[in-house]
Amino acid sequence: MEPVPFLFGPFGPMGQLRAFLMWGGTIVVGMYESLTEERGMKPLVAMAVLCSGGMALGLVLIVVIGILLMPKAKQD
């Protein structure tokens, strides 16, 4: 049996990304349960709230990353 390459191992970048996505998933499930059980929202409304919040966060991240990675203008 061959060893797993570092890129796909648990401590490599792909393993860390996988762990981050699993952590994010547990956070979202916890938020869904909180919205439905503690706040009494209907499941469809709670899903709509989480989806719209995720899309808004995604758009903000796209803009921020775009601004940070924008090439600097040369000043002569």
Side-chain angles (χ1 to χ4, degrees):
M1 185 169 177
E2 294 183 30
V4 177
F6 174 74
L7 181 63
F8 298 106
F11 297 109
M14 297 303 285
Q16 293 297 312
L17 179 63
R18 190 178 308 129
F20 178 73
L21 290 174
M22 290 172 63
W23 172 79
T26 58
I27 296 295
V28 171
V29 168
M31 292 170 84
Y32 173 78
E33 291 175 352
S34 172
L35 289 173
T36 55
E37 295 172 4
E38 295 175 13
R39 301 208 179 226
M41 284 187 182
K42 292 182 180 182
L44 193 59
V45 174
M47 283 188 271
V49 167
L50 290 174
C51 286
S52 60
M55 286 191 296
L57 179 66
L59 288 172
V60 168
L61 285 175
I62 288 171
V63 170
V64 168
I65 290 172
I67 290 171
L68 291 175
L69 296 178
M70 198 169 11
K72 306 288 185 226
K74 287 187 178 182
Q75 294 180 354
D76 291 325

